[in-house]
Every structure is written in structure tokens, then in C-alpha cells.
Amino acid sequence: MNSPGTKVHHLDGIRILDLFAGPGGLDVAAHFLGFKSIGIEWDRNACETRYAAGLPTIHADVSVMRESRFDEIPKTVDVLAGGPPCQSFSVAGNGKGRRALDTVKEFIHRLVDGEDEVKIDEDLHALGDSRTALVLEPLRWLLKAIDTEGRDPYKVIVLEQVPAALPLWEVYAKLLRSGEGRLKGVKYEAECWQLKTEQFGVPQTRTRAVLVARRPEHGTIAPLKATHLPFDLHRGSRNVDQAEMFPTTPGIPRARQRWLSMAEALEAASTLEDSSVDVSRLSTGGRMDFFVVSNYGSGGDPKNRGQRHSSEPAFTVTGKVSRNKVYKSVAEYEAGMSQRFTIPESGVLQTFPHNFPWSGHDQAQQVGNAVPPRLGMHVLSRALRGNAPSDDELAAATTWPSVPRTTTSELRVIGCGDQSQCPPDSHKVTRLHRKSAP
């Protein structure tokens, strides 16, 4: 049985609350920087991965936690982080996406201006799109902390989203700087950036909109410094030699390092002790030489599948990463003899440790939904310490520590001990009815 002392042990000293925590991209980043975190996650499968990884978790709806279980969040938490679901804003280039952005901006101002939240909730419900409500949750959690006796306002706020959400973070930032309305004079230094993951050592091209805010007494927020060069997404022709134009050379400042390729990342992971990555099947003559055909269309044509060579960064790792096809030769391509990235390989392309204990179902979706931990390390380190992660910290982030089964069981009790408080039907078991033998 999980004793109260065990619960205190796992939740002692937690500083970061990760809303919409997923399998733990930001939590993994926090771990390697030396900070403890707790995540709130709706998806049971992602929770199972988190328990296996030893990450404190509450299996719940973030809005339910805020409304009726706020007191369960450790009072040591002084950092609010999260990446709310983003599908509504992924289409911000068309009329529907722009309307979604404008709607959220309106609700942000209504919340800060102090309008009745019952009315706001009714209007959100009438929209018929729960994702719009979710992108407001970080602000509502901040206002809740300000309004709750015995709680202090968060010292630091870190939010990330797809690039199309940058205008929302700019609205957030403007209000946080003002301290107006329900913020009750609580002001923040706040900055927003659009970051390319390959410029921070992630072996894939992915762009994220990031907001970092912190109380003025902790100083201004300096921009993140890229450690790698950007990858040219619009190269005119396929030229593998492009990958060798800026070789990684000892002694060259980190800001001028070439981006990391799929081959480099997977090869490095395969050499680690007890590695979960075996690149022999992707190698020819001892050399990794493969190409990937994307599951998605290119240039507006769904039939025009993009291609990347192993000497280049991966495409954005999405929940459909397992549908990308991997070929070692043109002959294999013509013969339809494709392979797929394994879950550990996909995780490495996201910069998760090679031995991260992916668990539960829908593991490809878990991998694709996560924040790349290496990017998370750069963002959290800047937000919490005002500097970049050290080389030693980044090097250590390739291997995850072993987690005892007792720890996993204890964390599951904390997160799902009272299953009646978990999301509806998330623990429902479907039993197959066998026909009687004739």
C-alpha cells in the first residue's frame, strides 16, 4: 500500500507544474536541469509512460484540477508550464484559423477584465470547440493562484505552441507586463520567440512559438542563443553534399555548428550502453545511408511526398511518424520494400533518451505530441536560470535513469489511485465475449 510518507517523498520539492504534460518532454528537460516537476495529463497512455519514467503525474482534466482540486498541487510549485492542444491554430493561414485566434484573444481580455467566469464558460461551451477553452487554461491557472489565499503568484511561466499561436502569446505577454485587471498589479517581464528546433541540436525541423515570463525581481529575459545553423527547407535540388557544407568541427563556437542529422543522432544513440537503438538494419556496408519518404504531401499536393536523406534532419516528428517510410536504396523504393522508424528511434529524433520507457498504447502519438526535451532544456534553463544548459547537462540527457517498479506503482497510485477522479471512461476495460464451443 502507498503510505502518506511515500506520497510526500515523491512530491517533495516540486517546482514546476506542467499542464498538458504528455509523456514528459518538458519534465524530462527539467529533470536533466535538476528541477522537479509534476504533470497533469488527460491521456491514460501518456500517464503510463510517465509512471514508468518516474515522473510525478496527476491523471486528470486540467480544468477540473483548477476548479475543484487546486489544493492538491504542491505549494512548492512556482513555475507554470504547458503546451495546450493546438489543432485550431495549425490552420491560422486560412479564415477559420484567423477567426479561432481572434476568438481566443477576445476571451483572454474578458478573463483579465474580470467578467463573470460562469458567463465565460457558457460562451466557451457554445463554441463547440473545447480546444479554444484549453488554450486559456494557463491564464486561468495564473489567475487562480493570484486569487487563492496561501498561494503566491507563479514566479515563472513557460508556454509553447505551434508557430501560428505566436499572436496569442504576444497578447499574453502584453497583459502580463501590464498587471491590469484580475492580475491585481502582479507584473511580469515577458518575451515571445519563434524557435527552430534544429538550431538547438534537435535532429528534426520543427518550429515552435514560445513565451517566457518571470517576475521583474528575477531580471530581464535575454533571447535564446541558437547553438546550430538553420536547415534550408527550400533547397532547390536534392544534394546530399549540402549536409557536409558546415561540418561539425571541434573548436568552432557552438552558434556556428551545423544542424544534427538523423544518421548522427541515431548512430550516437546506438553506441550507448544497453542501447534501445539498433542501426544495423538502416546501414549498408557499415554506413548509415537511407532516405525517408514522408507520410504527408508537399507543396499542397497530397501525392507529392517529401523526402529527406539520412544526412539531413528528420521531418517534424508527428503522431504519424510510424507511417513514414524508410528505404536504404532506390531499388528498395522501387520494389516497395520499406522499413519504419521504431518507437525508440522516433524518440531519439525528438531528443528523448534512447532508453526512455515508452508505455501504454498509441506510443507514436505520444512521441509526436511531446516537446523535444533538448529544446525544453534551452527554454527552461533560460527561464529559470538566465543561461543556457551546460554541455555536461546536454550530454547526460541521452540516457534515462533506471526506475524501480515500486516507484512506478507508487506514482500510479498518486495519479490514478482514486480512479473516479480520472477522466471519464479512461479506465474502462472492454472484455471480449467468447462464443461457447459447439
Side-chain angles (χ1 to χ4, degrees):
M1 177 175 287
N2 192 51
S3 68
T6 299
K7 182 172 182 178
V8 169
H9 170 70
H10 287 303
L11 302 187
D12 182 46
I14 284 177
R15 285 197 59 192
I16 301 172
L17 172 62
D18 186 4
L19 307 177
F20 316 101
L26 280 176
D27 304 77
V28 169
H31 167 83
F32 287 115
L33 293 174
F35 298 103
K36 291 187 67 174
S37 63
I38 186 168
I40 301 175
E41 175 51 42
W42 167 282
D43 180 62
R44 180 186 178 187
N45 295 305
C47 287
E48 285 301 318
T49 292
R50 295 177 61 87
Y51 300 148
L55 299 173
T57 307
I58 300 175
H59 182 202
D61 181 329
V62 293
S63 61
V64 171
M65 287 298 301
R66 171 180 52 79
E67 292 167 356
S68 60
R69 301 174 61 188
F70 191 77
D71 61 335
E72 295 180 34
I73 303 301
K75 291 188 177 181
T76 53
V77 166
D78 60 2
V79 180
L80 180 68
C86 56
Q87 292 90 335
S88 296
F89 315 115
S90 295
V91 292
N94 62 26
K96 181 179 179 181
R98 286 191 296 272
R99 288 192 296 274
L101 288 169
D102 289 341
T103 298
V104 177
K105 290 178 183 178
E106 176 189 344
F107 277 103
I108 289 173
H109 284 287
R110 290 173 64 181
L111 281 169
V112 174
D113 289 344
E115 187 172 328
D116 180 60
E117 288 208 38
V118 174
K119 172 58 176 173
I120 290 177
D121 286 334
E122 290 175 353
D123 290 347
L124 284 169
H125 181 73
L127 291 175
D129 182 1
S130 60
R131 295 168 298 189
T132 298
L134 292 177
V135 82
L136 297 170
E137 281 297 329
L139 176 59
R140 300 184 85 166
W141 275 80
L142 169 60
L143 297 175
K144 181 79 171 186
I146 291 173
D147 290 340
T148 301
E149 186 177 354
R151 294 274 182 169
D152 293 324
Y154 301 110
K155 295 179 180 178
V156 177
I157 300 170
V158 176
L159 305 177
E160 66 84 31
Q161 256 284 2
V162 294
L166 187 61
L168 298 182
W169 294 161
E170 291 171 344
V171 173
Y172 262 69
K174 183 178 180 179
L175 290 170
L176 291 173
R177 296 184 193 112
S178 74
E180 296 175 354
R182 286 184 61 196
L183 292 171
K184 299 179 180 179
V186 177
K187 296 183 178 181
Y188 291 82
E189 296 287 335
E191 298 294 339
C192 303
W193 306 298
Q194 188 165 287
L195 305 176
K196 295 179 180 293
T197 57
E198 80 271 17
Q199 290 192 263
F200 295 89
V202 180
Q204 66 169 297
T205 52
R206 186 190 198 107
T207 304
R208 306 303 290 178
V210 172
L211 176 144
V212 170
R214 62 185 182 191
R215 298 300 306 280
E217 58 265 31
H218 299 292
T220 58
I221 304 167
L224 273 71
K225 293 183 179 180
T227 58
H228 295 66
L229 291 165
F231 178 70
D232 182 8
L233 290 172
H234 304 290
R235 55 206 185 284
S237 61
R238 288 208 54 80
N239 183 358
V240 174
D241 290 340
Q242 179 200 358
E244 306 305 326
M245 288 174 62
F246 301 100
T248 301
T249 305
I252 293 180
R254 291 175 63 192
R256 296 183 58 197
Q257 293 293 329
R258 177 178 59 79
W259 35 259
L260 196 67
S261 71
M262 290 182 278
E264 290 170 317
L266 294 173
E267 181 69 34
S270 72
T271 63
L272 299 172
E273 185 177 357
D274 297 325
S275 177
S276 303
V277 176
D278 179 7
V279 297
S280 60
R281 65 185 182 82
L282 300 175
S283 304
T284 302
R287 179 172 178 270
M288 295 189 70
D289 186 12
F290 62 84
F291 63 95
V292 181
V293 178
S294 173
N295 177 58
Y296 294 96
S298 178
D301 181 359
K303 295 182 180 179
N304 182 23
R305 307 294 185 182
Q307 295 186 20
R308 292 275 177 92
H309 190 267
S310 54
S311 60
E312 300 173 319
F315 295 104
T316 298
V317 175
T318 71
K320 304 295 190 295
V321 63
S322 59
R323 297 185 185 180
N324 291 347
K325 297 181 179 180
V326 183
Y327 301 92
K328 289 198 297 181
S329 66
V330 174
E332 283 190 357
Y333 175 76
E334 293 176 344
M337 299 171 57
S338 64
Q339 302 185 58
R340 311 280 178 157
F341 286 128
T342 65
I343 294 300
E345 290 166 355
S346 300
V348 166
L349 296 178
Q350 276 276 58
T351 63
F352 276 88
H354 71 95
N355 60 336
F356 195 69
W358 300 101
S359 303
H361 299 292
D362 299 327
Q363 292 180 13
Q365 192 68 50
Q366 293 183 48
V367 174
N369 285 349
V371 178
R374 188 175 178 110
L375 178 67
M377 290 179 70
H378 280 276
V379 174
L380 286 178
S381 185
R382 177 65 67 190
L384 299 176
R385 307 187 306 197
N387 58 17
S390 70
D391 289 339
D392 287 343
E393 289 169 333
L394 293 171
T398 57
T399 300
W400 193 247
S402 176
V403 176
R405 290 185 178 181
T406 52
T407 296
T408 294
S409 298
E410 290 163 359
L411 290 175
R412 186 180 292 111
V413 171
I414 293 172
C416 296
D418 182 354
Q419 293 185 3
S420 68
Q421 296 196 80
C422 294
D425 298 327
S426 60
H427 290 272
K428 184 177 180 180
V429 177
T430 302
R431 291 183 171 83
L432 298 176
H433 298 282
R434 297 182 179 179
K435 294 181 179 180
S436 301

